[in-house]
Amino acid sequence: TPSQTTSTLEEPGYLCCECGIPVSPNPANICVACLRSKVDISQGIPKQVSISFCKQCQRYFQPPGTWIQCALESRELLALCLKKIKAPLSKVRLVDAGFVWTEPHSKRLKVKLTIQKEVMNGAILQQVFVVDYVVQSQMCGDCHRVEAKDFWKAVIQVRQKTLHKKTFYYLEQLILKYGMHQNTLRIKEIHDGLDFYYSSKQHAQKMVEFLQCTVPCRYKASQRLISQDIHSNTYNYKSTFSVEIVPICKDNVVCLSPKLAQSLGNMNQICVCIRVTSAIHLIDPNTLQVADVDGSTFWSHPFNSLCHPKQLEEFIVMDCSIVRDIKRGAGAGMISKKHTLGEVWVQKTSEMNTDKQYFCRTHLGHLLNPGDLVLGFDLANCNLNDEHVNKMNSDRVPDVVLIKKSYNRTKRQRRRNWKLKELARERENMDTDDERQYQDFLEDLEEDETIRKNVNIYRDSTIPVESDTDDEGAPRISLAEMLEDLHISQDATGEEGTSMMT
């Protein structure tokens, strides 16, 4: 029943032909009440309509196949509601439309419409009525793929042929910092890498471009036909991107090919990898000469790690002297300003009952003093099976290559008042060695400020700040470099705010 009906009326002049009350002259010669009882201009316009809403992503369905984000009582939502009754409204003139307030959790939207239409000899009627929209829950296609977890269109298989996961831990922090994990359906961790699953090939390609900018790698793309429609000429493919990261990690000792060493400024072939970011950063422990090797250069002149991390041995420094005058050869490259060249005599802690000592040059001259413990590789007593080392003169291969100073790991772990975030991923075949490797990565962050700049480090308020009375000189991260971890409580924002932030 119409709630309100008016007519374009003028001065009263005669009686209504139906009920006899005085009315103004109008084309229908009838009063408003009688005209309203005879004609309903809102007939054919539905008074109750359903609208679909996805609770996971907070979007409304706009036919034929679009999901849009709309706020309550917004212009966008009003336009969406009017489109649901577009065909019946085309027969009348829409004068005004607006929302009637409803409880946000009532699953109802009420739209108040004002329409006009010409009836009975040219008389124009105006009517106001309310259309009730019932909000029905329906999961959109994107959220359905996320919940299904097995319905994916593209996968990125990131692999690195090494025994240590330092590069993956570093890559994980970069992904978290720049939010590159938001479009993934799921992340699966296996023994030699990570698998990223996506609902579209475009999201996977964006991730591959990000990986190429952050770590030295190469990739191959392939696709498999799942189904096809011969009538509409449409095809459904599943794409696979195989990304291979260079098999070099931080603290690896490598042997360069003679051609590559010459192109990098006549470096010695035996070098130490001090970090891996978008390129491999190498340092010559004999001359402090540094060089960067990007992914394309590495694949053109590949080299391997001579020793794996489990072969690290502990040495004690017997004597250390700083080399002041560094002789540089012709065409030498850049010298590191953060390291000091030193000549040291070291002895294995496992051979303290003997008088066997080793002499070597090291880039850790600014850190080592007699009596310090240092980790390194014993190349003299190691079986090296490398094509470049086999062609070198034995005099050019050092007996010992020192990697880093050794500190008390238990004390460092107890005093660590910061933490990192981790990706939510599926793990399988977890190794007990993973925790030790993760602690190695945390120690690398404390020791290397360059890597630390690319990682979001959060303060751990559960660890008290200890005094420096028992500090043995181990590097630590200052409070100025830490971020405060943000926690949104349910009391402050309610259930919807909490789920939105998480």
Side-chain angles (χ1 to χ4, degrees), residues 193-212:
L194 294 171
D195 289 344
F196 298 87
Y197 293 87
Y198 293 89
S199 59
S200 68
K201 184 178 179 180
Q202 289 74 17
H203 291 157
Q205 289 174 332
K206 185 178 180 181
M207 182 64 172
V208 171
E209 293 174 359
F210 174 78
L211 293 175
Q212 289 182 300

Side-chain angles (χ1 to χ4, degrees), residues 20 44 49 80 87-88 122 125 156 184 194 205 230 254 263 280 285 312 371 380 420 440 442-443 475:
V49 184
L80 178 62
L125 288 183
I156 301 178
T184 56
L194 294 171
Q205 289 174 332
I230 60 175
V254 299
S263 65
I280 304 173
L312 275 174
L420 301 175
D440 289 343
L442 298 182
E443 293 176 2

Side-chain angles (χ1 to χ4, degrees), residues 307-334:
C307 306
H308 55 80
K310 292 183 178 180
Q311 292 178 293
L312 275 174
E313 296 191 57
E314 190 176 59
F315 297 85
I316 185 170
V317 179
M318 309 304 294
D319 186 24
C320 179
S321 60
I322 304 299
V323 179
R324 302 297 179 184
D325 299 327
I326 304 177
K327 295 182 180 180
R328 305 186 62 186
M334 187 172 54

Side-chain angles (χ1 to χ4, degrees), residues 240-304:
T240 301
F241 296 88
S242 179
V243 180
E244 183 182 0
I245 303 177
V246 294
I248 304 297
C249 287
K250 185 181 184 298
D251 297 337
N252 283 163
V253 178
V254 299
C255 182
L256 309 179
S257 64
K259 185 176 181 179
L260 179 59
Q262 183 181 6
S263 65
L264 296 177
N266 292 325
M267 295 179 65
N268 288 320
Q269 291 182 245
I270 303 295
C271 296
V272 178
C273 176
I274 53 178
R275 75 179 65 90
V276 177
T277 54
S278 58
I280 304 173
H281 302 268
L282 302 175
I283 187 170
D284 184 357
N286 287 314
T287 61
L288 294 187
Q289 187 173 331
V290 292
D292 296 341
V293 178
D294 57 13
S296 59
T297 304
F298 174 84
W299 300 117
S300 301
H301 305 279
F303 51 87
N304 298 315

